[in-house]
């Protein structure tokens, strides 16, 4: 963990294949279908998924299932493997930026679209478990949502969860995005938005793309400043969560808040 990383501070279908992807596939003579071995491979992979689920499938095979829709007449295993090699695992493929995905050979607009649909679906399902519900009594669901939304991102993101008097989550908003080790934070904007929403409490959340959730000195200082501003308005900061790749750190549990 780089002790010098810091927040910036201001004062208080589904879709048919896109033409780019189709162009990557070798032209098929009229009336000729894809080789039978491709159809057989796809059928076997789908059957394995339907019978046993995704648990026993390696990441590249799960990616293949998604890529089948985007590239219907080509062996997509090489592309699936390239994506895993480039980004590291299934989750990081889904959360990679569109520009970085398209930089991978064979990943055109249709491929990116399918991957982003899956990412959006996963986030929406996780978010549905916590929105408009008492957060403190469903803490694990909240952690699961934060990991789904933020753990594998390549840049820092700062989110604020706004709660009402019953600790029901009434808004989940991205306050800022930054770089790989820096995100600008606006304490006055956070407090102003809390007052607009009539929020009684906040949970601060940001990720560390390095994977290590250990807080820097500036993380701790900034959290204290936000908490001080919130306290002056009668707003409680329940916690500040730093989301790493495989675990999170709670300021409250660590005695930092």
């Amino acid at each position: 963990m780089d002790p010098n990383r810091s927040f910036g501070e201001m004062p208080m279908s589904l879709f048919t294949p896109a033409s780019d992807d189709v162009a990557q596939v070798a032209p098929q003579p009229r009336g000729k279908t894809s080789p039978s071995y491709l159809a057989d491979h796809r059928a076997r992979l789908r059957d394995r998924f339907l019978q046993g689920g995704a648990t026993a499938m390696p990441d590249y095979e799960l990616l293949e299932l998604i890529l089948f829709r985007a590239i219907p007449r080509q062996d997509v295993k090489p592309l699936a493997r390239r994506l895993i090699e480039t980004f590291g695992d299934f989750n990081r493929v889904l959360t990679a930026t569109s520009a970085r995905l398209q930089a991978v050979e064979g990943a055109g607009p249709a491929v990116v679209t399918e991957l982003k649909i899956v990412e959006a679906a996963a986030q929406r399902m996780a978010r549905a478990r916590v929105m408009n519900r008492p957060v403190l009594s469903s803490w694990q669901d909240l952690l699961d949502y934060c990991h789904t939304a933020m753990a594998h991102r390549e840049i820092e993101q700062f989110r604020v969860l706004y709660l009402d008097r019953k600790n029901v989550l009434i808004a989940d908003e991205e306050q800022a995005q930054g770089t790989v080790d820096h995100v600008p934070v606006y304490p006055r904007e956070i407090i102003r938005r809390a007052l607009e929403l009539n929020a009684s409490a906040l949970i601060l959340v940001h990720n560390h793309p390095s994977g290590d959730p250990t807080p820097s000195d500036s993380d701790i200082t900034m959290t204290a400043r936000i908490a001080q501003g919130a306290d002056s308005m009668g707003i409680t900061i329940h916690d500040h969560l730093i989301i790493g790749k495989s675990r999170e750190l709670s300021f409250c549990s660590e005695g930092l808040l």
Side-chain angles (χ1 to χ4, degrees):
M1 184 67 188
D2 183 357
N4 295 319
R5 65 167 299 284
S6 63
F7 285 125
E9 179 187 358
M10 291 292 291
M12 287 290 286
S13 128
L14 299 142
F15 298 81
T16 55
S19 58
D20 287 358
D21 295 286
V22 175
Q24 295 165 6
V25 181
Q28 296 284 335
R30 181 170 296 182
K32 186 174 181 180
T33 60
S34 302
S36 60
Y37 73 86
L38 284 181
D40 292 343
H41 170 69
R42 292 184 176 211
R44 286 195 300 270
L45 208 56
R46 290 187 178 108
D47 286 344
R48 282 180 50 208
F49 176 76
L50 290 174
Q51 293 173 14
T55 304
M57 302 184 78
D59 283 357
Y60 78 88
E61 288 188 341
L62 199 56
L63 272 180
E64 280 190 78
L65 289 169
I66 299 172
L67 297 176
F68 287 168
R69 297 189 57 85
I71 306 178
R73 296 181 301 278
Q74 180 178 312
D75 182 4
V76 297
K77 183 184 292 184
L79 174 56
R81 288 187 178 276
R82 280 197 298 274
L83 288 166
I84 295 296
E85 290 170 1
T86 300
F87 298 105
D89 59 34
F90 182 82
N91 290 326
R92 287 186 180 272
V93 172
L94 292 184
T95 55
T97 64
S98 297
R100 287 208 62 200
L101 287 169
Q102 291 195 70
V104 177
E105 180 185 356
V111 166
V112 174
T113 297
E114 292 296 332
L115 293 173
K116 290 304 171 185
I117 289 172
V118 175
E119 180 193 16
Q123 291 190 16
R124 185 162 295 191
M125 290 175 66
R127 191 171 186 265
R129 297 190 182 99
V130 295
M131 280 303 300
N132 301 312
R133 298 187 181 187
V135 170
L136 301 185
S137 61
S138 55
W139 194 250
Q140 188 57 53
D141 286 338
L142 177 68
L143 295 178
D144 290 345
Y145 166 59
C146 291
H147 276 278
T148 298
M150 304 173 71
H152 301 279
R153 296 197 175 276
E154 298 177 335
I155 60 175
E156 284 203 14
Q157 180 187 70
F158 193 94
R159 306 178 78 91
V160 183
L161 310 181
Y162 298 91
L163 314 180
D164 67 11
R165 288 180 176 80
K166 295 182 178 180
N167 289 318
V168 170
L169 181 58
I170 56 175
D172 160 30
E173 297 183 356
E174 179 184 312
Q175 201 268 341
Q177 287 196 23
T179 63
V180 294
D181 62 358
H182 168 88
V183 62
V185 176
Y186 305 86
R188 288 186 179 179
E189 183 64 20
I190 292 171
I191 303 306
R192 182 193 65 78
R193 183 59 175 152
L195 294 174
E196 284 182 354
L197 294 168
N198 197 29
S200 295
L202 309 175
I203 297 174
L204 311 175
V205 190
H206 84 280
N207 64 310
H208 280 181
S210 68
D212 180 3
T214 303
S216 67
D217 290 342
S218 60
D219 290 338
I220 296 169
T221 299
M222 180 55 65
T223 303
R225 290 176 179 171
I226 296 172
Q228 183 179 26
D231 185 63
S232 69
M233 295 294 177
I235 299 170
T236 301
I237 306 292
H238 280 314
D239 210 340
H240 182 173
L241 301 172
I242 300 181
I243 305 299
K245 183 176 181 181
S246 59
R247 64 186 180 92
E248 72 285 338
L249 180 138
S250 160
F251 272 51
C252 187
S253 297
E254 295 294 319
L256 298 173
L257 186 63

